[in-house]
Amino acid sequence: MKFIAMAAFASSLISWGSAAAAPAGTQATADPRDPAHPRYADCAPPQAFAKRFPQLTLKKALGKVGADINYESPSVIEPRNPVTGARVTSENLYARKVLGIARYKDDHTFAEIAQPLEGPRNYFMVVSNTNYSNGSTITRRNDVAEIYLKRGDVILPIPLETASEIGFCSGDILDQTKPCFSTAYARLRVDSDLFETLANADPQQAITATWKRTDGEMAQCPLYFSPLSFKATLLSIDEAHAKAAAKREKQRAQGF
């Protein structure tokens, strides 16, 4: 998608916190897609995000970016599995850690870039929701249908691209000591211009995105994204892609 005057978008991003935190001169609106709507007056970012957002630097963010090599087959034991590309995410930038393991709760937001060995990059804003329990857990399903970003008087809709679920021991498990989780992901594709604009926004001002549920209703509170989520992944994809390409070359030398 292309958006007129996208370079000016960063200057109008709404700061995180309550609707009262909007820039001076912002008026209340009747449009529930607008973060200045009175319905969001008591909303605030998730606890983990609010705690870590003011302290995170670009250097620390770069150290938390996750990088993966993608393969033709999802099987981890396939002996001759060609590399197809690379992926980087900022999923762990604001995650809470328990015994060194990242844990995510509801309304967890991050950025993702996926790039095949030959082909264009794919840019995403991602939202995840997770349940944790012992013995069993309810399978989470995505409920994000569309998110909205505001620039000036224009509201930019970003529809859901894909939804997926992962988990461990969903359903009835007799062993109540077994740790379980279920996570639902919503990936919303954005173009490179918007992704770069978000990456270059003020890192001290969170990006507020209102959103519509899959049942057609607007969510009670917005989602909050960090500019560093976009910046850190943007600065990491070249290295990840180069590693994937180098591994593919070794595979070709081995005859596959």
Side-chain angles (χ1 to χ4, degrees):
M1 67 189 74
K2 293 296 180 181
F3 192 57
I4 298 174
M6 190 61 70
F9 184 88
S11 65
S12 61
L13 294 174
I14 306 300
S15 60
W16 66 274
S18 68
T26 299
Q27 300 296 319
T29 174
D31 188 344
R33 299 176 304 165
D34 192 325
H37 192 282
R39 66 185 288 156
Y40 306 123
D42 295 326
C43 293
Q47 183 178 9
F49 185 96
K51 178 180 179 181
R52 294 170 177 80
F53 181 82
Q55 286 81 35
L56 192 69
T57 64
L58 178 57
K59 182 178 180 179
K60 291 180 180 179
L62 288 169
K64 292 177 179 289
V65 169
D68 299 310
I69 292 177
N70 295 332
Y71 294 87
E72 186 174 285
S73 169
S75 173
V76 296
I77 61 173
E78 174 66 42
R80 298 170 70 83
N81 198 356
V83 170
T84 59
R87 181 180 75 106
V88 293
T89 82
S90 54
E91 187 172 13
N92 289 336
L93 262 63
Y94 299 99
R96 182 173 67 94
K97 286 194 172 183
V98 178
L99 300 177
I101 300 175
R103 292 175 69 92
Y104 319 101
K105 292 191 176 181
D106 288 354
D107 299 334
H108 183 65
T109 61
F110 57 98
E112 176 181 314
I113 303 175
Q115 183 176 5
L117 291 179
E118 297 181 5
R121 292 177 179 176
N122 300 286
Y123 302 87
F124 300 94
M125 300 174 75
V126 188
V127 183
S128 71
N129 292 283
T130 304
N131 279 344
Y132 295 98
S133 66
N134 288 326
S136 66
T137 187
I138 298 172
T139 300
R140 292 301 297 265
R141 302 298 184 191
N142 169 60
D143 59 357
V144 178
E146 192 166 57
I147 66 175
Y148 305 98
L149 295 174
K150 185 179 181 183
R151 175 194 170 270
D153 295 328
V154 178
I155 295 175
L156 175 66
I158 304 175
L160 176 72
E161 173 85 4
T162 60
S164 60
E165 298 85 28
I166 63 171
F168 180 72
C169 71
S170 298
D172 295 329
I173 304 296
L174 296 178
D175 183 0
Q176 293 299 313
T177 65
K178 187 181 293 293
C180 303
F181 79 95
S182 179
T183 301
Y185 289 98
R187 286 178 171 82
L188 304 103
R189 185 187 296 269
V190 297
D191 66 17
S192 59
D193 289 343
L194 175 57
F195 198 97
E196 291 179 9
T197 299
L198 297 174
N200 291 318
D202 183 355
Q204 297 302 313
Q205 298 291 324
I207 301 161
T208 304
T210 58
W211 59 286
K212 183 172 65 177
R213 301 167 53 89
T214 52
D215 61 10
E217 298 294 326
M218 290 297 294
Q220 182 177 358
C221 284
L223 298 164
Y224 301 88
F225 287 83
S226 167
L228 288 179
S229 286
F230 301 93
K231 187 77 167 183
T233 50
L234 198 60
L235 293 175
S236 301
I237 186 60
D238 283 343
E239 181 180 357
H241 187 265
K243 288 181 178 179
K247 187 162 187 175
R248 182 68 186 113
E249 285 303 312
K250 289 182 180 180
Q251 290 180 332
R252 289 193 178 100
Q254 295 169 358
F256 71 99

